[in-house]
Amino acid sequence: MTGLPGGGKTFLGILLVAALLVPLSNLLLPETSPFHVPTYLVSLMGKYVCFALLALSVDLIWGFAGILSLGHGAFFALGGYAMGMYLMRQIGDRGVYGNPVLPDFMVFLNWTELPWYWYGFDMFPFAMLMVLLVPGVLAFVFGWFAFRSRVTGVYLSIITQAMTYALLLAFFRNDMGFGGNNGLTDFKDLLGFDLQVTGTRLSLFVASVIALGLGYLVCCFITQSKLGRVLVAIRDAESRTRFSGYRVEYYKLFVFVVSAVLAGIAGALYVPQVGIINPSEFSPANSIEVVIWVAVGGRGTLWGAVLGAFLVNWGKSYFTGSFPEAWLYMLGGLFVFTTLFLPKGIVGTSATWIEKLKNRRRESPDIGAPLSVKEE
């Protein structure tokens, strides 16, 4: 905690206050109170927290290692599908067709038995292991070939986007066994708790806040260590770092896998709060939007990425309802404005301005101080 970067303690304090006040205001305050937080807003804020964890994972690799991934939505979606498969197995014979083993979409498509890769998802520990393992293994395999081949810059961004687009096309197929275009939905309960009950929604919100706080601490531990300094060196001068004797591909591979696991956790927490997971989460546009969140908040600041995720998604929720046809233009304009006038994002630019103001105050003489005898 003592080694947290600027604003880190304040950020964790805000998370702690939110984890306490949001449930209390929902449960204890009457609906007529202006400070009452309705249940639908709890779920909406929980979704924002999951997006913030996803943005944090992107900032870890982009802001500190210079790895611009335009396909991180794939890891988010894979974590979501792992959670969705567990939730589907929990439905049992309560589905439309009453089959205790096969999900409804499989019965509808005339599947006769459960695919082998669905085995074990009726157990929560196994499902949570897959939430971590599937995105992590994919990131390891992808990163192993990409970083050892020294693919960097825009070329790496393009192949990450190609990866998520390939997964999008694969998960759209009905014969893949993941629900096709409709995806996985109609979830009933989680660990025996009804997902529609207010208490469950509050618990998921608190769990998301805790995951975001822990993810932030993990990222701080990495970036404030010697490993983090090497990552920054790789970001600023990769060839020079390699010539200094560091195995650059190993450092990049490690941080890429950690980032993918964080994105998978965010997806797993996202699914029970929104009630559905489908192939649209693999859309390359979603991954590009995450990069915009990080750029707006402040690349390389960690909690700035969280701030950007909250601001952009709040604006999206508001403007898609008020100005649905103009929202995409607003999002593009926001990115252009940030690139031109806030190149370091909100947090980074604000820190620069504050530092300049402090320097001016140090350099300027104290007008109110009395003059010395010599000066008189």
Side-chain angles (χ1 to χ4, degrees):
M1 291 290 290
T2 57
L4 291 178
K9 295 179 182 179
T10 303
F11 169 70
L12 291 178
I14 293 173
L15 289 183
L16 178 61
V17 171
L20 293 174
L21 291 186
V22 170
L24 291 177
S25 63
N26 177 271
L27 295 173
L28 301 181
L29 297 180
E31 296 183 1
T32 56
S33 172
F35 299 103
H36 174 75
V37 179
T39 302
Y40 82 89
L41 193 57
V42 172
S43 298
L44 184 62
M45 289 190 294
K47 184 174 74 170
Y48 291 169
V49 173
C50 296
F51 287 155
L53 182 56
L54 174 59
L56 188 68
S57 71
V58 172
D59 191 29
L60 176 63
I61 58 171
W62 185 33
F64 293 90
I67 304 172
L68 177 56
S69 172
L70 296 181
H72 240 57
F75 306 122
F76 178 83
L78 289 173
Y81 265 97
M83 173 62 81
M85 293 167 72
Y86 165 76
L87 295 175
M88 291 296 290
R89 292 298 307 271
Q90 297 306 298
I91 296 175
D93 57 4
R94 292 174 294 172
V96 176
Y97 297 99
N99 192 302
V101 178
L102 297 180
D104 284 338
F105 73 88
M106 291 187 183
V107 178
F108 178 77
L109 295 174
N110 297 321
W111 288 59
T112 57
E113 59 182 9
L114 195 69
W116 63 268
Y117 44 85
W118 276 76
Y119 293 155
F121 278 97
D122 55 336
M123 298 179 291
F124 184 76
F126 178 83
M128 293 307 98
L129 178 62
M130 291 299 105
V131 167
L132 305 177
L133 197 59
V134 173
V137 169
L138 176 62
F140 181 84
V141 173
F142 177 87
W144 176 265
F145 289 104
F147 300 138
R148 283 180 62 86
S149 301
R150 300 187 181 183
V151 180
T152 59
V154 66
Y155 303 103
L156 180 66
S157 301
I158 291 173
I159 62 174
T160 57
Q161 196 171 49
M163 174 190 68
T164 189
Y165 188 67
L167 289 171
L168 168 70
L169 297 179
F171 275 73
F172 257 117
R173 297 170 57 92
N174 287 327
D175 56 2
M176 283 287 291
F178 296 107
N181 184 36
N182 296 323
L184 309 178
T185 186
D186 195 30
F187 308 132
K188 305 296 184 185
D189 51 51
L190 174 62
L191 292 173
F193 296 97
D194 188 351
L195 288 174
Q196 305 305 320
V197 175
T198 299
T200 306
R201 292 183 177 272
L202 290 172
S203 299
L204 287 169
F205 170 77
V206 173
S208 301
V209 172
I210 293 174
L212 177 59
L214 293 176
Y216 178 78
L217 290 176
V218 169
C219 292
C220 285
F221 177 77
I222 293 175
T223 56
Q224 298 298 307
S225 64
K226 180 182 177 180
L227 169 62
R229 294 192 290 272
V230 175
L231 291 176
V232 173
I234 294 172
R235 179 195 68 188
D236 296 338
E238 181 174 336
S239 298
R240 188 171 183 177
T241 306
R242 181 178 285 108
F243 292 151
S244 299
Y246 290 96
R247 298 297 298 269
V248 169
E249 60 272 17
Y250 292 162
Y251 286 90
K252 295 172 75 172
L253 180 62
F254 171 77
V255 75
F256 191 69
V257 171
V258 172
S259 175
V261 170
L262 291 176
I265 295 172
L269 290 167
Y270 169 83
V271 168
Q273 296 185 81
V274 299
I276 189 173
I277 177 72
N278 57 39
S280 65
E281 297 297 338
F282 287 102
S283 173
N286 290 356
S287 298
I288 295 173
E289 194 171 325
V290 179
V291 173
I292 295 177
W293 304 344
V294 177
V296 170
R299 171 191 172 194
T301 60
L302 294 182
W303 70 272
V306 175
L307 177 64
F310 273 95
L311 291 178
V312 175
N313 281 286
W314 176 83
K316 182 177 182 179
S317 298
Y318 174 77
F319 288 111
T320 51
S322 302
F323 310 99
E325 297 179 353
W327 160 245
L328 290 178
Y329 297 102
M330 293 179 179
L331 183 64
L334 176 64
F335 189 58
V336 172
F337 177 83
T338 301
T339 303
L340 295 178
F341 301 103
L342 299 174
K344 296 182 180 180
I346 296 174
V347 173
T349 306
S350 299
T352 302
W353 289 346
I354 293 173
E355 187 64 26
K356 288 182 178 179
L357 183 60
K358 289 181 179 179
N359 292 335
R360 287 180 181 178
R361 288 182 177 179
R362 293 194 194 101
E363 296 171 358
S364 61
D366 190 352
I367 299 176
L371 295 176
S372 64
V373 175
K374 182 177 180 180
E375 290 172 331
E376 290 177 349

